[in-house]
């Protein structure tokens, strides 16, 4: 558990940087045998007044792209993902399709989290996949970042949503 906390702190640093830039505070690091091999933070997701929101450049997707672009001789099943928020359905399915089998996250996404996807009842491609999910590692630290984000009147992203309301009620 100590190793998970240490590596989650690196993801939290990514999230803090995203928050400083006015972005949704999600950070992600991919590790292999305890060493960071790739990282990402939420990029350009929040509407900046132009009405456009980017829902593709999630931290997990950016970190996964960076890892794949490096063409390292690492078996994907040995990669562990550390994310400050539970991966959404897009990120979760993309990671498992790319062979990742362990995901550690800090704060639950009550609105769009994908880690509770019942793989065993899906088509054969997914039904035999075994994925280990470890929730709530440094949850309070991540929660504090999301509360700061949602309390900022300059951030319209997901204002008034189930996620925002749930987050702001947490202690």
């Amino acid at each position: 558990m100590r190793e998970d906390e240490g590596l989650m702190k690196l993801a939290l640093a990514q999230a803090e940087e995203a928050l400083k830039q006015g972005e949704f505070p999600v950070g992600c690091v991919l590790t292999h045998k305890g060493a960071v091999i790739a990282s990402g933070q939420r990029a350009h997701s929040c509407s900046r007044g132009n009405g456009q929101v980017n829902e593709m450049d999630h931290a997990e997707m950016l970190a996964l792209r960076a890892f794949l672009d490096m063409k390292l001789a690492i078996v994907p099943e040995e990669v562990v993902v550390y994310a400050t928020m539970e991966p959404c359905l897009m990120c979760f399915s993309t990671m498992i399709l790319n062979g990742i089998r362990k995901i550690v996250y800090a704060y639950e996404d009550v609105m769009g989290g994908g880690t509770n996807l019942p793989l065993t009842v899906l088509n054969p491609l997914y039904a035999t996949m075994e994925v280990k999910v470890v929730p709530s590692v440094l949850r309070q630290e991540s929660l504090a970042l999301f509360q700061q984000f949602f309390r900022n009147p300059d951030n319209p992203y997901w204002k008034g949503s189930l996620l925002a309301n749930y987050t702001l009620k947490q202690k």
Side-chain angles (χ1 to χ4, degrees):
M1 186 58 126
R2 284 225 184 271
E3 181 178 8
D4 284 347
E5 289 178 358
L7 293 166
M8 185 61 75
K9 286 179 182 178
L10 299 175
L12 284 164
Q14 293 286 323
E16 289 171 2
E17 184 59 35
L19 184 62
K20 285 178 188 172
Q21 296 173 20
E23 294 293 341
F24 200 54
V26 179
C28 178
V29 295
L30 275 58
T31 67
H32 181 255
K33 298 182 180 179
V36 174
I37 54 174
S39 65
Q41 66 190 40
R42 194 70 185 255
H44 311 298
S45 61
C46 304
S47 177
R48 296 279 185 232
N50 62 5
Q52 295 181 345
V53 177
N54 177 345
E55 286 296 348
M56 291 185 58
D57 289 339
H58 291 196
E60 301 91 337
M61 300 295 278
L62 296 173
L64 183 60
R65 277 191 208 127
F67 164 62
L68 295 173
D69 287 348
M70 286 186 271
K71 298 179 182 5
L72 300 173
I74 293 175
V75 178
E77 289 85 357
E78 296 176 352
V79 172
V80 180
V81 173
Y82 291 86
T84 58
M85 176 172 262
E86 176 184 4
C88 71
L89 187 58
M90 172 184 70
C91 293
F92 181 68
S93 59
T94 301
M95 286 187 288
I96 66 174
L97 282 172
N98 279 281
I100 293 173
R101 295 295 179 262
K102 184 175 178 185
I103 299 167
V104 180
Y105 69 84
Y107 184 60
E108 66 275 10
D109 183 349
V110 297
M111 187 169 76
T115 63
N116 64 350
L117 182 67
L119 297 175
T120 57
V121 300
L122 298 178
N123 291 329
L125 175 64
Y126 300 96
T128 59
M129 291 182 179
E130 293 182 23
V131 180
K132 181 176 182 179
V133 176
V134 180
S136 303
V137 174
L138 299 182
R139 180 186 183 275
Q140 288 303 120
E141 291 83 344
S142 186
L143 169 62
L145 296 176
F146 287 102
Q147 287 176 330
Q148 186 178 345
F149 178 84
F150 285 125
R151 286 184 182 128
N152 183 342
D154 295 332
N155 291 328
Y157 188 69
W158 290 120
K159 287 286 187 200
S161 68
L162 171 65
L163 178 61
N165 293 335
Y166 173 84
T167 298
L168 293 171
K169 290 178 185 172
Q170 297 298 300
K171 294 182 181 186

